[in-house]
Amino acid sequence: FASMNSECELALALLQEMREMDASVDSVVYNTVLATCVTADRVEEAHTLLGEMEAVGGVADVITYNTLAKGYAKAGRMDRCFELYEHMLAQDIKPSQVTYGILLDCCVNENKVDKAAEVFDRMTKEGCVMNTVLYTTLIKGF
């Protein structure tokens, strides 16, 4: 219910209740709460939750980082998207096609063609396979 209605506070309260009951809280639960906060435009709360997830260990994954990056992108915070990307790499989380799509979209939306070219170079060096979404995003920028 909290997720469907973008009720970040309710989702966070339910998560806290689960913890207090020593219920098993896995990456699916955490990512659902994080996505609920992002959807409700509560990106800073979502970022705080990421910190908690990293402290627990083993529950923050590429989906976690991509969801938070989408929130920053929606808020026009390209800087935070790239900070999050670097943080993700430092945590040994391998970026996905979705990760690069978000970064490219940020660059295109901010009219930062040179930065988009840097992202493209980096993703190809790291072996990311291009797909229709990535090509379309690049075309949109040029």
Side-chain angles (χ1 to χ4, degrees), residues 84-98:
L84 191 62
Y85 170 73
E86 293 299 331
H87 180 74
M88 180 175 144
L89 294 175
Q91 298 296 315
D92 290 325
I93 304 289
K94 184 176 174 17
S96 66
Q97 291 172 320
V98 173

Side-chain angles (χ1 to χ4, degrees), residues 50-67:
L50 169 64
E52 294 173 22
M53 292 170 73
E54 290 174 342
V56 168
V59 290
D61 55 21
V62 70
I63 295 167
T64 308
Y65 291 93
N66 288 347
T67 302

Side-chain angles (χ1 to χ4, degrees), residues 31-50:
N31 283 336
T32 301
V33 174
L34 188 127
T36 300
C37 292
V38 167
T39 301
D41 296 326
R42 306 278 294 274
V43 183
E44 291 310 318
E45 284 96 331
H47 195 99
T48 299
L49 183 58
L50 169 64

Side-chain angles (χ1 to χ4, degrees), residues 12 26 66 71 90 92 100 104 106 135:
L12 289 168
D26 60 10
N66 288 347
D92 290 325
Y100 288 114
L104 287 171
C106 279
Y135 280 121

Side-chain angles (χ1 to χ4, degrees), residues 48 107 110 112:
T48 299
C107 295
E110 296 291 321
K112 304 283 186 187

